[in-house]
Amino acid sequence: MKHAGLDFEERVLAPYAARSARSRGRVHPECEHPFRSAFQRDRDRIIHSSAFRRLEYKTQVFLNHEGDYYRTRLTHTMEAAQISRTIARALGLNEDLAEAVALAHDLGHTPFGHAGERVLHECMLPYGGFEHNAQSLRIVEKLERRYPGFPGLNLTFEVREGIVKHSPPYDRPLARDFEPGLAPALEAQIVDLADEIAYTAHDIDDGLQSGMLDAGDLLGVELWRESAALVWASHVQDPAVTRYQAIRHLIDRLVTDLVGNVRETLERNGIRSYEDVRRFGKPLAAFREPLREKFSELKAFLFEHLYRHPRVVRMTRKAQRVVRELFEEYMAEPRQLPEHVFRRAESEESLPRVVADYIAGMTDRFALEEHRKLFDPSARV
């Protein structure tokens, strides 16, 4: 019987899209599924992984206990995946591959967002450092335990390459096993920009909702002012609806510009095949220059007014102390680690890398509770 999914790919996808039938395959060979493509199976394996579930209680900008409204690392991932699928469909790309890369791109994030990542990297500098893209790859290749014959999720080459190369440069040391001279699939490239669109839009929403962003100050940023003007023209009165509609217009404008520019770039550079995308060697996915400048201005505003807001800085400093003290304490006395983690340090990996794996896998609340158990004399251990 002909594979329905593969037949769909041949009939629908653009010539420069990735096709699961032409995948470079898996490290450990497996029989293909009768009606699910390889990229569909990768997406499902990611969704069912332990690391994916833990994203629910990992910080995006606001710590988990700040409130139920704010985005977590999981809801951010879902929004980035949705935008990735929209862009992929508009360009005739493989939606399953784009979605799989988007769903996996933050699996390796530490608790407490980028603040946790920065301090864990500092702790790990003598031992090779720490980077969340590398950790995402490490999770899907080694740390997840789901199959009797091999570690990891045994994802296809294209998804693993997309995790490593979803943002440039493509020749960094992390990509040494993924043909660093070549660009990844266009599906992976659009995930990088979908990620930016998603976090910029929802951070505005969360920032306004929390009161950390001033709506009047935000109107001084051209791209946001233009998005808000489209809402004012429709005479919307409800502030919450106004905010949501302005964010909707912002996302739509960014996605529309990106799709149009990618089409023009592909045509201008004579990109006719998946191989042409890879051999081009640099990103084909980008915004047009006028919008790129406006988008940069908006991101710079958020950096200064939200990510460096006193409340966020205070939370960041607390989080960094927690991560640093956990690392130092586990290194000083490894037998405080859970037995199965300690055994890995004895038999499989160096102690610093095992400690980094353990801390990176923690949710915010688990890290806080573990810190309390280790440092509060009154806490039960």
Side-chain angles (χ1 to χ4, degrees), residues 138-316:
R138 184 169 168 79
I139 286 168
V140 302
E141 289 190 335
K142 184 178 180 65
L143 299 181
E144 284 286 332
R145 303 285 176 151
R146 287 289 181 270
Y147 300 94
F150 48 78
L153 302 179
N154 199 30
L155 304 182
T156 59
F157 174 91
E158 290 76 16
V159 173
R160 291 183 295 117
E161 181 188 45
I163 293 170
V164 171
K165 293 183 181 177
H166 84 271
S167 59
Y170 301 141
D171 59 351
R172 57 186 184 272
L174 178 58
R176 63 184 180 276
D177 296 328
F178 296 92
E179 299 178 325
L182 301 179
L186 192 50
E187 288 84 351
Q189 297 182 38
I190 65 171
V191 169
D192 187 32
L193 296 175
D195 182 33
E196 288 190 30
I197 294 170
Y199 73 66
T200 301
H202 63 53
D203 288 353
I204 291 172
D205 190 18
D206 287 352
L208 290 171
Q209 175 73 14
S210 69
M212 291 190 199
L213 287 181
D214 181 88
D217 291 343
L218 192 54
L219 288 173
V221 182
E222 186 176 4
L223 184 56
W224 176 256
R225 185 170 63 251
E226 291 170 351
S227 298
L230 295 172
V231 186
W232 299 333
S234 60
H235 306 291
V236 175
Q237 300 298 319
D238 188 324
V241 175
T242 299
R243 182 178 73 244
Y244 174 80
Q245 289 297 316
I247 290 168
R248 185 174 71 88
H249 285 301
L250 174 65
I251 294 171
D252 184 67
R253 183 173 177 188
L254 290 166
V255 169
T256 301
D257 182 273
L258 175 61
V259 168
N261 194 46
V262 170
R263 286 173 176 160
E264 293 167 6
T265 303
L266 293 170
E267 184 63 31
R268 186 168 59 249
N269 290 283
I271 305 298
R272 299 285 184 266
S273 69
Y274 173 72
E275 290 72 25
D276 288 345
V277 171
R278 287 179 60 73
R279 285 193 294 265
F280 196 68
K282 56 185 180 180
L284 288 158
F287 301 106
R288 295 184 179 97
E289 191 56 43
L291 189 63
R292 187 185 313 169
E293 292 178 5
K294 292 180 181 181
F295 193 31
S296 295
E297 180 194 15
L298 179 57
K299 290 190 292 184
F301 176 90
L302 290 177
F303 180 81
E304 188 61 36
H305 292 82
L306 179 60
Y307 308 141
R308 298 184 68 180
H309 188 281
R311 277 176 58 191
V312 174
V313 170
R314 191 174 296 124
M315 291 186 296
T316 295

